[in-house]
Amino acid sequence: SLQRQLEVLRGMIGRWLNEPSDDGSTRHVSDIVVLLPDVERHHELINSIFVNGEGQDGLTLPAKVTGVVDKSIRQLWEAIRGFYSLLGSDSARFEAAEVFDWLMLPPLYESLGLTHEQMSHACDLLAQAGFVRGFDEAHFQQTLDTSDYDYRFSFAYALDQIALGLVMPEAKISGCLYPDNWRNEALAEKTIPIASISLSDAPIAQALCRVYAGLDACRYEYQARHKAEDWLALIENSIIHPYFGDLDQTRPMRAIFNAMNGFKSSLRANRHYHQYRAELIDEDTLAEEKTLAVEDNQQVEARLAQVNNLTLKLSFMLDSIEDELESQQVSAEPTGVITFCLLYTSDAADDMQ
């Protein structure tokens, strides 16, 4: 298996590093490049064999997989993107399984001040409270009847039971969460508090309420249209800083900021590239050709002005930032460590061409 091959390779590298070279030079881990045909699929396995720090064999063999987005960066980006994508698209069902996978992303629960065990318990509480799919009654109304206000089995339904169980654990049933604005033809909503909750679960309830507030604030953004730079500012100010502010100085967040700044730079480059196009024409160029170039430049500038004001959907912006992240990782060659990278076969090369 590949796992066994990597284990053998680790031992071979250890021996090779300690053997004298023919020319007497010192061998370094940065001299080693390992090629694999599907490096991204085996990213986790590689990291489990070539661990950070000293391994069980007593060897310290730092390694990095290039050509793929680092796991910590990918998880942070998925945590940020989830605030928009889980609920925003027309086909979003907001099912418990995908929501739990999102909640269990380390950057998300850590930014909410919870541990892995606490967030796992939060998912258990949501399941016990009846969460199956759907965000709230408004989300159900998109696919059911617009006059149907039933929100059972939704995220909001389960969260209400958790919140009421925390503040009124002895209540049999209560309508205190919905005191006002009920329709005359509808029964006022009441909630049964969940029993399996204690005061020690207060941070969990608070974190889930923050998640609900963030999702609710972004629920219609996915279908909105704004200019690209406005979207970038909105993502940063609405989600990144309020929910992931403590991670601003971490390497994964810097990579995401670099991707966003790279996208901004691309916009500015497209905006100003043709401004100096006529000046780049060689002095020996005929005057007639220069005149044509200036006229062409003016036409391009006019088209670019329209593009700069073009409103874009959020899904396009999120995909563009993700593409920028991937391109940064592919172009970033690690130094001072063993490098695992993609081996292009002849078939892969043909596909790329």
Side-chain angles (χ1 to χ4, degrees):
S1 67
L2 180 60
Q3 178 176 347
R4 181 56 184 156
Q5 293 179 49
L6 289 171
E7 290 170 349
V8 172
L9 175 64
R10 182 180 173 91
M12 293 172 62
I13 290 175
R15 288 193 299 272
W16 182 82
L17 289 171
N18 287 283
E19 291 174 352
S21 59
D22 295 336
D23 58 1
S25 61
T26 303
R27 292 173 172 176
H28 304 280
V29 291
S30 57
D31 298 331
I32 302 169
V33 176
V34 182
L35 304 178
L36 289 173
D38 194 359
V39 67
E40 184 167 7
R41 184 161 66 94
H42 304 300
H43 190 188
E44 297 296 325
L45 180 58
I46 295 169
N47 288 337
S48 69
I49 303 298
F50 288 84
V51 296
N52 290 327
E54 184 177 322
Q56 294 181 349
D57 53 9
L59 300 175
T60 301
L61 298 175
K64 183 174 181 181
V65 180
T66 188
V68 298
V69 179
D70 185 87
K71 179 181 178 181
S72 60
I73 299 173
R74 186 182 295 277
Q75 287 181 336
L76 178 55
W77 176 243
E78 289 176 357
I80 295 170
R81 180 168 184 154
F83 277 98
Y84 297 104
S85 59
L86 280 176
L87 186 60
S89 65
D90 292 330
S91 60
R93 290 177 56 83
F94 206 78
E95 293 183 339
E98 63 176 346
V99 175
F100 291 163
D101 287 343
W102 177 64
L103 290 174
M104 291 305 300
L105 290 171
L108 181 57
Y109 64 70
E110 289 173 1
S111 68
L112 294 170
L114 300 183
T115 64
H116 179 276
E117 290 73 19
Q118 285 178 310
M119 185 55 84
S120 180
H121 183 48
C123 294
D124 291 339
L125 288 175
L126 288 169
Q128 292 172 27
F131 175 41
V132 177
R133 81 163 186 93
F135 185 65
D136 57 10
E137 63 272 19
H139 184 220
F140 280 145
Q141 288 171 356
Q142 295 176 8
T143 53
L144 302 176
D145 192 292
T146 55
S147 300
D148 188 352
Y149 291 89
D150 187 358
Y151 79 132
R152 287 175 295 175
F153 311 112
S154 68
F155 184 83
Y157 169 80
L159 184 56
D160 284 348
Q161 294 187 59
I162 293 173
L164 191 62
L166 189 65
V167 298
M168 299 179 63
E170 301 297 328
K172 294 183 178 181
I173 187 170
S174 174
C176 67
L177 298 179
Y178 314 95
D180 302 314
N181 302 322
W182 274 99
R183 298 156 299 284
N184 294 328
E185 69 279 6
L187 291 174
E189 188 65 58
K190 294 185 179 181
T191 301
I192 300 176
I194 189 173
S196 54
I197 193 170
S198 63
L199 287 177
S200 62
D201 295 323
I204 294 176
Q206 183 180 15
L208 291 176
C209 288
R210 285 193 64 199
V211 169
Y212 177 90
L215 290 166
D216 185 53
C218 300
R219 65 190 306 165
Y220 301 115
E221 297 289 354
Y222 213 72
Q223 305 300 327
R225 287 180 175 271
H226 297 292
K227 291 190 294 184
E229 291 185 348
D230 293 339
W231 270 129
L232 294 173
L234 191 62
I235 294 170
E236 185 173 341
N237 296 324
S238 299
I239 295 299
I240 291 181
H241 289 321
Y243 286 89
F244 303 95
D246 292 341
L247 305 177
D248 276 355
Q249 302 305 315
T250 62
R251 183 179 62 84
M253 186 62 82
R254 287 198 299 270
I256 291 175
F257 280 139
N258 288 338
M260 296 175 70
N261 291 332
F263 189 77
K264 289 180 183 179
S265 300
S266 299
L267 293 175
R268 296 190 186 101
N270 288 331
R271 180 180 303 166
H272 299 297
Y273 173 75
H274 294 276
Q275 181 176 354
Y276 305 104
R277 184 180 175 187
E279 299 177 9
L280 299 178
I281 299 176
D282 190 80
E283 293 181 359
D284 297 331
T285 305
L286 296 175
E288 181 180 356
E289 185 176 346
K290 179 174 287 191
T291 301
L292 292 174
V294 172
E295 292 176 353
D296 181 58
N297 182 64
Q298 292 173 345
Q299 294 175 358
V300 172
E301 284 292 328
R303 290 197 297 269
L304 284 174
Q306 297 175 353
V307 172
N308 292 334
N309 294 321
L310 183 66
T311 57
L312 304 170
K313 294 186 69 173
L314 178 60
S315 57
F316 172 80
M317 292 300 306
L318 296 175
D319 289 341
S320 298
I321 296 172
E322 190 165 332
D323 291 342
E324 188 73 25
L325 270 176
E326 293 179 355
S327 66
Q328 285 185 2
Q329 294 299 303
V330 169
S331 63
E333 293 296 334
T335 58
V337 297
I338 301 168
T339 301
F340 284 82
C341 58
L342 179 64
L343 169 65
Y344 288 108
T345 63
S346 58
D347 293 339
D350 293 339
D351 292 340
M352 290 181 66
Q353 292 174 357

